[in-house]
Amino acid sequence: MGSSSHLKRLAMPRSWPLPRKTTIWVTRPSPGAHSLERCMPLNLIVRDVLGRAQTSREVRFIVQNELVKVDGRICKDTRRGVGLMDVLSLGDEHFRCMLDVNGRLRYAQIPSDEAAWKIARIEGKSTLKGGKTQLNLHDGRNLIVDDSNQYNTGDSLKIALPEQTIMEHIKFTEGVRCYLVGGTHVGEVAAMKERIVKRSSMPNEVSFEDFGTTEVNVFAVGDSNMPITEVLSLIHISEPTRRRGIS
C-alpha cells in the first residue's frame, strides 16, 4: 500500500474523483477526523480537483503563504484531509465538500456568507465531570453543552465558523429535510417520513416517500441552504498538465 504518506492510485477510494491509471502513487491524507473514504488531502484538491495549481510545489507555496483555510482556520498541512461538509477557503473563494449522486467527493463553490457556517452530525454523547455533556460530531470536533436531554444522536448542529458556536439545532425527526450520504440514493435530498428503531443488533432504518435506507446514510440538514448536489455530478474534473513522479 506504499508509505505512510502515499497509497497506490489503483487502491484509492472510489469516492475520489481522480483517474486511476496515470501515475503509481497518490497522496494519502494525514490521520484526522474523517475516514479515508470521506475526505481528500488538500494537495490533491487544490491541484487536481480545483485546478488552482499545477504542481505540489505550487500547492506548498499557497499553503505557506496562509492563503488556505479549513473551517475558517488557517491550514498549513498539505496532506490535511478535507471531508464531508467541511468548508475550504482559497483566498476569496469558498468551497463546501459534498457527495454527488455517484458518491464522489465534490467541492461546490459557495458564497462568502455560507462559508461562515457548516452542519455537523452528532455521532455520540458522553457525560463529563460536573454533569455536563460532550457532543461528539462527525468531523471529529467535540462540543460541551449543559442540557443533555436536548440533543440526541443523529441530530445535526449548524455551527458558526471559526467560533464553533451553535447557531441552530436540527432534530433528527419526522419531516426534516435529509441529505443522503450513502446507499443507492446518495447525493439526494428528501424529507424523512419515519424513523424505525430496531431493538436488536440490526441497524436503525429511515423511510422516505419512495425508498428507505439505514440511519447511518442519513444526514439531517433542515432548511439550511445547501449546494444543489444533482448538478455536481456534471462537474468536469480537469486533468493537470504534469503527472510525473510522486503526487
Side-chain angles (χ1 to χ4, degrees), residues 39-243:
C39 73
M40 288 184 65
L42 184 62
N43 179 37
L44 295 182
I45 298 171
V46 177
R47 188 190 65 186
D48 295 2
V49 178
L50 300 179
R52 299 303 187 269
Q54 294 186 358
T55 64
S56 294
R57 182 177 181 178
E58 291 182 3
V59 176
R60 289 195 297 270
F61 178 84
I62 294 172
V63 171
Q64 290 168 4
N65 282 274
E66 300 184 351
L67 298 176
V68 178
K69 293 182 179 180
V70 178
D71 289 344
R73 295 185 175 181
I74 295 174
C75 176
K76 291 189 176 182
D77 181 10
T78 59
R79 292 176 52 210
R80 161 71 185 269
V82 182
L84 186 64
M85 297 295 178
D86 286 350
V87 176
L88 172 64
S89 300
L90 298 176
D92 296 330
E93 294 182 299
H94 307 281
F95 306 88
R96 191 183 304 280
C97 180
M98 306 286 288
L99 287 169
D100 66 12
V101 293
N102 296 317
R104 301 291 184 93
L105 292 168
R106 302 295 188 186
Y107 296 84
Q109 191 162 4
I110 57 177
S112 57
D113 57 333
E114 291 186 24
W117 57 265
K118 70 176 294 185
I119 294 180
R121 182 173 61 187
I122 300 175
E123 299 290 344
K125 301 192 301 180
S126 55
T127 303
L128 305 180
K129 185 177 181 180
K132 292 187 177 181
T133 300
Q134 177 178 276
L135 305 179
N136 313 119
L137 307 183
H138 86 281
D139 58 356
R141 73 185 71 220
N142 301 312
L143 297 180
I144 298 177
V145 295
D146 295 325
D147 189 359
S148 61
N149 297 322
Q150 182 179 357
Y151 303 93
N152 297 312
T153 301
D155 292 354
S156 297
L157 301 176
K158 187 176 181 179
I159 303 173
L161 301 176
E163 298 84 1
Q164 301 191 85
T165 56
I166 299 176
M167 301 173 59
E168 181 183 352
H169 176 206
I170 304 171
K171 293 187 177 182
F172 193 54
T173 184
E174 296 179 5
V176 68
R177 289 178 68 248
C178 297
Y179 175 61
L180 281 299
V181 296
T184 306
H185 296 269
V186 61
E188 297 181 10
V189 177
M192 181 195 300
K193 185 177 181 181
E194 182 183 6
R195 181 186 183 188
I196 305 171
V197 179
K198 300 293 185 68
R199 302 297 180 182
S200 65
S201 59
M202 299 293 291
N204 295 338
E205 297 180 1
V206 177
S207 63
F208 298 91
E209 187 66 31
D210 300 319
F211 64 94
T213 185
T214 55
E215 188 175 283
V216 70
N217 294 332
V218 182
F219 203 115
V221 295
D223 296 327
S224 300
N225 184 24
M226 304 297 292
I228 302 176
T229 55
E230 289 79 4
V231 180
L232 296 180
S233 61
L234 303 178
I235 296 179
H236 175 67
I237 304 301
S238 60
E239 294 294 327
T241 57
R242 292 184 59 186
R243 286 191 178 277

